[in-house]
Amino acid sequence: MIAGHEYVHGYSGREAERLVDQANAVTELLHRDTRYPDGTRVLEAGCGVGAQTVTLAVNSPGARIVSIDVSAESVAAAHERARAAGVTNVVFQRADIYALPFAPASFDHVFACFVLEHVPRPVEALTALRRVLEPGGTLTVFEGDHGSTYFHPESAAARKAIECLVELQARAGGDSLIGRSLYPLVVSAGFQAVEVSPRMVYVDASRPHLVEGFTKRTFTAMVEGVGERALAEGLIDAAAWQRGIRDLYRTAEPDGTFCYTFFKAVARNP
Amino acid sequence: MIAGHEYVHGYSGREAERLVDQANAVTELLHRDTRYPDGTRVLEAGCGVGAQTVTLAVNSPGARIVSIDVSAESVAAAHERARAAGVTNVVFQRADIYALPFAPASFDHVFACFVLEHVPRPVEALTALRRVLEPGGTLTVFEGDHGSTYFHPESAAARKAIECLVELQARAGGDSLIGRSLYPLVVSAGFQAVEVSPRMVYVDASRPHLVEGFTKRTFTAMVEGVGERALAEGLIDAAAWQRGIRDLYRTAEPDGTFCYTFFKAVARNP
């Protein structure tokens, strides 16, 4: 979570559970090619409640990881999660991505997952991250893109519900369509050798763990989670909202399909 | 092309050129895991002008391929293209997918690329194809999904232009959003072990061959190709159309990105 900006998904217990379901369903997609050598210094920027931190730490057991978040409450939750998992190579710290309390070139690698989508000035945030990287150090960024969502059966009501989430995230200063623009953002922040690889989640009835873990408990749960605010802000009426959520669940039936794409960017500090 | 239904993209020379550009840009995506053993009998259903036929034949040089299309003119063009490429393991024949002139179990494998999207009754077509397959024979289907398109910079005008193409294809009896629903369609036609794998085309400035070969000369050219009909049918006015096309080309600039997904389905006849 980022300084001074509301986290669009809130901080409820159910949201924390959703983040863990999401991490489980997409862990392989995200982490399969993210490994840091022993002894390297890694900054995890915007660790939130630590949904990715444990996997990051377990996959790079010899790396020395510093995980930061602007929310003291999230940092405490992440710390507790890492402790419970027996992770010992992560130090947690409250810090603002725009005002990092680290000297230049303090890290060999920076990792940021689902952070830029909530940042009002992503190029500025990326530039700040670049300053604490060694020359030749790497940046790894992972983001979703809610506009990459499509499904069968098609439903205007479901699209409208998703648009409410996109709009609320925009009102909170974020950009939930950011995945598709990682390449120009990372280039603009002065990185080189920028490589973006999309990671598409495709769900049909032959993949029941994704029907449950992604379509229902990650994506649709995320949309459902902003229902009260969407209604309170007058973006939609209750009946239309219920139709939208119903139609999202409809895509999890045996003849339904669901598509969503995450984007990973890797780049080098010159 | 399918019996009695207009081919939405028409039959101009420029369209034939576009189909070849498209085949070049997506050949690897489509054909990389499509190989048929020596001596097997393969039906290519809806070969059109043969944009995929040569690659299919070259990758499976010992297979005996029969390529059909409902348009005699397309069959002649495909035949000529295969002859020019020195392909000798393909027989061409004019035939209607709904009334196949083959005995049951005539083929070990069926291959159909960019065909179902133009078919008014895809389950009926798939069922007809299944009947000419041996028990245990395989079906391979490849389709796009125009609703899988998104890009940066975002543009309502560009979306509107794409929607014109979707609407024209629907009026011609097709479904250009069919990629996402291959799984239920193939299951409904009685196939087993249905496996769908999405093949996403992601384009940014680090991939100049895709900027040219896909964003501009395949996708945007395809949309441009229906401009006259979109205007003639009153789906859009000329100024809005021009804005849409301009904004599609805009995504091919150095800070632009473009995403599109093809879907491959492989299944077994029980």
mmCIF file with all atom_site columns, all heavy atoms in Angstrom, chain B residues 13-26:
data_model
loop_
_atom_site.group_PDB
_atom_site.id
_atom_site.type_symbol
_atom_site.label_atom_id
_atom_site.label_alt_id
_atom_site.label_comp_id
_atom_site.label_asym_id
_atom_site.label_entity_id
_atom_site.label_seq_id
_atom_site.pdbx_PDB_ins_code
_atom_site.Cartn_x
_atom_site.Cartn_y
_atom_site.Cartn_z
_atom_site.occupancy
_atom_site.B_iso_or_equiv
_atom_site.pdbx_formal_charge
_atom_site.auth_seq_id
_atom_site.auth_comp_id
_atom_site.auth_asym_id
_atom_site.auth_atom_id
_atom_site.pdbx_PDB_model_num
ATOM 1   N N   . GLY B 1 13 ? -7.385 -8.684  -53.109 1.00 0.00 ? 13 GLY B N   1
ATOM 2   C CA  . GLY B 1 13 ? -5.955 -8.999  -53.094 1.00 0.00 ? 13 GLY B CA  1
ATOM 3   C C   . GLY B 1 13 ? -5.311 -8.567  -51.794 1.00 0.00 ? 13 GLY B C   1
ATOM 4   O O   . GLY B 1 13 ? -4.496 -9.273  -51.218 1.00 0.00 ? 13 GLY B O   1
ATOM 5   N N   . ARG B 1 14 ? -5.721 -7.397  -51.303 1.00 0.00 ? 14 ARG B N   1
ATOM 6   C CA  . ARG B 1 14 ? -5.140 -6.919  -50.051 1.00 0.00 ? 14 ARG B CA  1
ATOM 7   C C   . ARG B 1 14 ? -5.480 -7.864  -48.897 1.00 0.00 ? 14 ARG B C   1
ATOM 8   O O   . ARG B 1 14 ? -4.664 -8.104  -48.016 1.00 0.00 ? 14 ARG B O   1
ATOM 9   C CB  . ARG B 1 14 ? -5.652 -5.504  -49.744 1.00 0.00 ? 14 ARG B CB  1
ATOM 10  C CG  . ARG B 1 14 ? -4.930 -4.935  -48.535 1.00 0.00 ? 14 ARG B CG  1
ATOM 11  C CD  . ARG B 1 14 ? -5.196 -3.484  -48.245 1.00 0.00 ? 14 ARG B CD  1
ATOM 12  N NE  . ARG B 1 14 ? -4.484 -3.124  -47.021 1.00 0.00 ? 14 ARG B NE  1
ATOM 13  C CZ  . ARG B 1 14 ? -4.773 -2.088  -46.274 1.00 0.00 ? 14 ARG B CZ  1
ATOM 14  N NH1 . ARG B 1 14 ? -5.710 -1.248  -46.623 1.00 0.00 ? 14 ARG B NH1 1
ATOM 15  N NH2 . ARG B 1 14 ? -4.095 -1.851  -45.174 1.00 0.00 ? 14 ARG B NH2 1
ATOM 16  N N   . GLU B 1 15 ? -6.692 -8.407  -48.909 1.00 0.00 ? 15 GLU B N   1
ATOM 17  C CA  . GLU B 1 15 ? -7.084 -9.345  -47.865 1.00 0.00 ? 15 GLU B CA  1
ATOM 18  C C   . GLU B 1 15 ? -6.227 -10.613 -47.945 1.00 0.00 ? 15 GLU B C   1
ATOM 19  O O   . GLU B 1 15 ? -5.781 -11.132 -46.922 1.00 0.00 ? 15 GLU B O   1
ATOM 20  C CB  . GLU B 1 15 ? -8.577 -9.688  -47.974 1.00 0.00 ? 15 GLU B CB  1
ATOM 21  C CG  . GLU B 1 15 ? -9.060 -10.858 -47.128 1.00 0.00 ? 15 GLU B CG  1
ATOM 22  C CD  . GLU B 1 15 ? -8.877 -10.685 -45.626 1.00 0.00 ? 15 GLU B CD  1
ATOM 23  O OE1 . GLU B 1 15 ? -8.569 -9.568  -45.169 1.00 0.00 ? 15 GLU B OE1 1
ATOM 24  O OE2 . GLU B 1 15 ? -9.001 -11.688 -44.908 1.00 0.00 ? 15 GLU B OE2 1
ATOM 25  N N   . ALA B 1 16 ? -5.972 -11.093 -49.145 1.00 0.00 ? 16 ALA B N   1
ATOM 26  C CA  . ALA B 1 16 ? -5.131 -12.285 -49.288 1.00 0.00 ? 16 ALA B CA  1
ATOM 27  C C   . ALA B 1 16 ? -3.736 -12.013 -48.726 1.00 0.00 ? 16 ALA B C   1
ATOM 28  O O   . ALA B 1 16 ? -3.157 -12.836 -48.023 1.00 0.00 ? 16 ALA B O   1
ATOM 29  C CB  . ALA B 1 16 ? -5.046 -12.700 -50.762 1.00 0.00 ? 16 ALA B CB  1
ATOM 30  N N   . GLU B 1 17 ? -3.233 -10.807 -48.987 1.00 0.00 ? 17 GLU B N   1
ATOM 31  C CA  . GLU B 1 17 ? -1.917 -10.402 -48.472 1.00 0.00 ? 17 GLU B CA  1
ATOM 32  C C   . GLU B 1 17 ? -1.948 -10.339 -46.936 1.00 0.00 ? 17 GLU B C   1
ATOM 33  O O   . GLU B 1 17 ? -1.006 -10.765 -46.264 1.00 0.00 ? 17 GLU B O   1
ATOM 34  C CB  . GLU B 1 17 ? -1.612 -9.019  -49.040 1.00 0.00 ? 17 GLU B CB  1
ATOM 35  C CG  . GLU B 1 17 ? -0.173 -8.605  -49.056 1.00 0.00 ? 17 GLU B CG  1
ATOM 36  C CD  . GLU B 1 17 ? -0.069 -7.227  -49.703 1.00 0.00 ? 17 GLU B CD  1
ATOM 37  O OE1 . GLU B 1 17 ? -0.322 -7.104  -50.923 1.00 0.00 ? 17 GLU B OE1 1
ATOM 38  O OE2 . GLU B 1 17 ? 0.234  -6.270  -48.971 1.00 0.00 ? 17 GLU B OE2 1
ATOM 39  N N   . ARG B 1 18 ? -3.043 -9.794  -46.394 1.00 0.00 ? 18 ARG B N   1
ATOM 40  C CA  . ARG B 1 18 ? -3.177 -9.715  -44.947 1.00 0.00 ? 18 ARG B CA  1
ATOM 41  C C   . ARG B 1 18 ? -3.147 -11.105 -44.319 1.00 0.00 ? 18 ARG B C   1
ATOM 42  O O   . ARG B 1 18 ? -2.517 -11.335 -43.290 1.00 0.00 ? 18 ARG B O   1
ATOM 43  C CB  . ARG B 1 18 ? -4.482 -9.010  -44.559 1.00 0.00 ? 18 ARG B CB  1
ATOM 44  C CG  . ARG B 1 18 ? -4.611 -8.799  -43.053 1.00 0.00 ? 18 ARG B CG  1
ATOM 45  C CD  . ARG B 1 18 ? -5.991 -8.327  -42.670 1.00 0.00 ? 18 ARG B CD  1
ATOM 46  N NE  . ARG B 1 18 ? -7.000 -9.364  -42.789 1.00 0.00 ? 18 ARG B NE  1
ATOM 47  C CZ  . ARG B 1 18 ? -7.185 -10.348 -41.899 1.00 0.00 ? 18 ARG B CZ  1
ATOM 48  N NH1 . ARG B 1 18 ? -6.439 -10.435 -40.836 1.00 0.00 ? 18 ARG B NH1 1
ATOM 49  N NH2 . ARG B 1 18 ? -8.129 -11.257 -42.091 1.00 0.00 ? 18 ARG B NH2 1
ATOM 50  N N   . LEU B 1 19 ? -3.837 -12.049 -44.959 1.00 0.00 ? 19 LEU B N   1
ATOM 51  C CA  . LEU B 1 19 ? -3.890 -13.398 -44.410 1.00 0.00 ? 19 LEU B CA  1
ATOM 52  C C   . LEU B 1 19 ? -2.495 -14.024 -44.377 1.00 0.00 ? 19 LEU B C   1
ATOM 53  O O   . LEU B 1 19 ? -2.171 -14.777 -43.466 1.00 0.00 ? 19 LEU B O   1
ATOM 54  C CB  . LEU B 1 19 ? -4.848 -14.269 -45.230 1.00 0.00 ? 19 LEU B CB  1
ATOM 55  C CG  . LEU B 1 19 ? -6.325 -13.914 -45.053 1.00 0.00 ? 19 LEU B CG  1
ATOM 56  C CD1 . LEU B 1 19 ? -7.175 -14.700 -46.046 1.00 0.00 ? 19 LEU B CD1 1
ATOM 57  C CD2 . LEU B 1 19 ? -6.791 -14.186 -43.626 1.00 0.00 ? 19 LEU B CD2 1
ATOM 58  N N   . VAL B 1 20 ? -1.671 -13.684 -45.354 1.00 0.00 ? 20 VAL B N   1
ATOM 59  C CA  . VAL B 1 20 ? -0.314 -14.217 -45.367 1.00 0.00 ? 20 VAL B CA  1
ATOM 60  C C   . VAL B 1 20 ? 0.532  -13.547 -44.283 1.00 0.00 ? 20 VAL B C   1
ATOM 61  O O   . VAL B 1 20 ? 1.275  -14.203 -43.557 1.00 0.00 ? 20 VAL B O   1
ATOM 62  C CB  . VAL B 1 20 ? 0.318  -14.060 -46.769 1.00 0.00 ? 20 VAL B CB  1
ATOM 63  C CG1 . VAL B 1 20 ? 1.784  -14.473 -46.748 1.00 0.00 ? 20 VAL B CG1 1
ATOM 64  C CG2 . VAL B 1 20 ? -0.463 -14.912 -47.774 1.00 0.00 ? 20 VAL B CG2 1
ATOM 65  N N   . ASP B 1 21 ? 0.404  -12.212 -44.123 1.00 0.00 ? 21 ASP B N   1
ATOM 66  C CA  . ASP B 1 21 ? 1.104  -11.527 -43.029 1.00 0.00 ? 21 ASP B CA  1
ATOM 67  C C   . ASP B 1 21 ? 0.707  -12.127 -41.688 1.00 0.00 ? 21 ASP B C   1
ATOM 68  O O   . ASP B 1 21 ? 1.537  -12.362 -40.817 1.00 0.00 ? 21 ASP B O   1
ATOM 69  C CB  . ASP B 1 21 ? 0.756  -10.024 -43.015 1.00 0.00 ? 21 ASP B CB  1
ATOM 70  C CG  . ASP B 1 21 ? 1.538  -9.252  -44.068 1.00 0.00 ? 21 ASP B CG  1
ATOM 71  O OD1 . ASP B 1 21 ? 2.627  -9.719  -44.456 1.00 0.00 ? 21 ASP B OD1 1
ATOM 72  O OD2 . ASP B 1 21 ? 1.062  -8.193  -44.491 1.00 0.00 ? 21 ASP B OD2 1
ATOM 73  N N   . GLN B 1 22 ? -0.594 -12.357 -41.527 1.00 0.00 ? 22 GLN B N   1
ATOM 74  C CA  . GLN B 1 22 ? -1.083 -12.936 -40.283 1.00 0.00 ? 22 GLN B CA  1
ATOM 75  C C   . GLN B 1 22 ? -0.479 -14.317 -40.066 1.00 0.00 ? 22 GLN B C   1
ATOM 76  O O   . GLN B 1 22 ? -0.011 -14.638 -38.977 1.00 0.00 ? 22 GLN B O   1
ATOM 77  C CB  . GLN B 1 22 ? -2.608 -13.046 -40.342 1.00 0.00 ? 22 GLN B CB  1
ATOM 78  C CG  . GLN B 1 22 ? -3.201 -13.858 -39.211 1.00 0.00 ? 22 GLN B CG  1
ATOM 79  C CD  . GLN B 1 22 ? -4.727 -13.826 -39.252 1.00 0.00 ? 22 GLN B CD  1
ATOM 80  O OE1 . GLN B 1 22 ? -5.330 -12.867 -38.788 1.00 0.00 ? 22 GLN B OE1 1
ATOM 81  N NE2 . GLN B 1 22 ? -5.328 -14.839 -39.806 1.00 0.00 ? 22 GLN B NE2 1
ATOM 82  N N   . ALA B 1 23 ? -0.473 -15.111 -41.121 1.00 0.00 ? 23 ALA B N   1
ATOM 83  C CA  . ALA B 1 23 ? 0.064  -16.466 -40.998 1.00 0.00 ? 23 ALA B CA  1
ATOM 84  C C   . ALA B 1 23 ? 1.534  -16.403 -40.593 1.00 0.00 ? 23 ALA B C   1
ATOM 85  O O   . ALA B 1 23 ? 1.985  -17.154 -39.734 1.00 0.00 ? 23 ALA B O   1
ATOM 86  C CB  . ALA B 1 23 ? -0.114 -17.222 -42.310 1.00 0.00 ? 23 ALA B CB  1
ATOM 87  N N   . ASN B 1 24 ? 2.296  -15.470 -41.173 1.00 0.00 ? 24 ASN B N   1
ATOM 88  C CA  . ASN B 1 24 ? 3.699  -15.351 -40.811 1.00 0.00 ? 24 ASN B CA  1
ATOM 89  C C   . ASN B 1 24 ? 3.874  -14.979 -39.345 1.00 0.00 ? 24 ASN B C   1
ATOM 90  O O   . ASN B 1 24 ? 4.696  -15.549 -38.641 1.00 0.00 ? 24 ASN B O   1
ATOM 91  C CB  . ASN B 1 24 ? 4.385  -14.290 -41.686 1.00 0.00 ? 24 ASN B CB  1
ATOM 92  C CG  . ASN B 1 24 ? 4.518  -14.760 -43.129 1.00 0.00 ? 24 ASN B CG  1
ATOM 93  O OD1 . ASN B 1 24 ? 4.449  -15.958 -43.394 1.00 0.00 ? 24 ASN B OD1 1
ATOM 94  N ND2 . ASN B 1 24 ? 4.686  -13.830 -44.036 1.00 0.00 ? 24 ASN B ND2 1
ATOM 95  N N   . ALA B 1 25 ? 3.111  -13.990 -38.888 1.00 0.00 ? 25 ALA B N   1
ATOM 96  C CA  . ALA B 1 25 ? 3.297  -13.491 -37.529 1.00 0.00 ? 25 ALA B CA  1
ATOM 97  C C   . ALA B 1 25 ? 2.856  -14.507 -36.480 1.00 0.00 ? 25 ALA B C   1
ATOM 98  O O   . ALA B 1 25 ? 3.386  -14.526 -35.383 1.00 0.00 ? 25 ALA B O   1
ATOM 99  C CB  . ALA B 1 25 ? 2.543  -12.171 -37.342 1.00 0.00 ? 25 ALA B CB  1
ATOM 100 N N   . VAL B 1 26 ? 1.909  -15.332 -36.799 1.00 0.00 ? 26 VAL B N   1
ATOM 101 C CA  . VAL B 1 26 ? 1.397  -16.239 -35.775 1.00 0.00 ? 26 VAL B CA  1
ATOM 102 C C   . VAL B 1 26 ? 1.709  -17.706 -36.072 1.00 0.00 ? 26 VAL B C   1
ATOM 103 O O   . VAL B 1 26 ? 1.281  -18.583 -35.319 1.00 0.00 ? 26 VAL B O   1
ATOM 104 C CB  . VAL B 1 26 ? -0.125 -16.048 -35.554 1.00 0.00 ? 26 VAL B CB  1
ATOM 105 C CG1 . VAL B 1 26 ? -0.443 -14.602 -35.218 1.00 0.00 ? 26 VAL B CG1 1
ATOM 106 C CG2 . VAL B 1 26 ? -0.941 -16.517 -36.719 1.00 0.00 ? 26 VAL B CG2 1
#
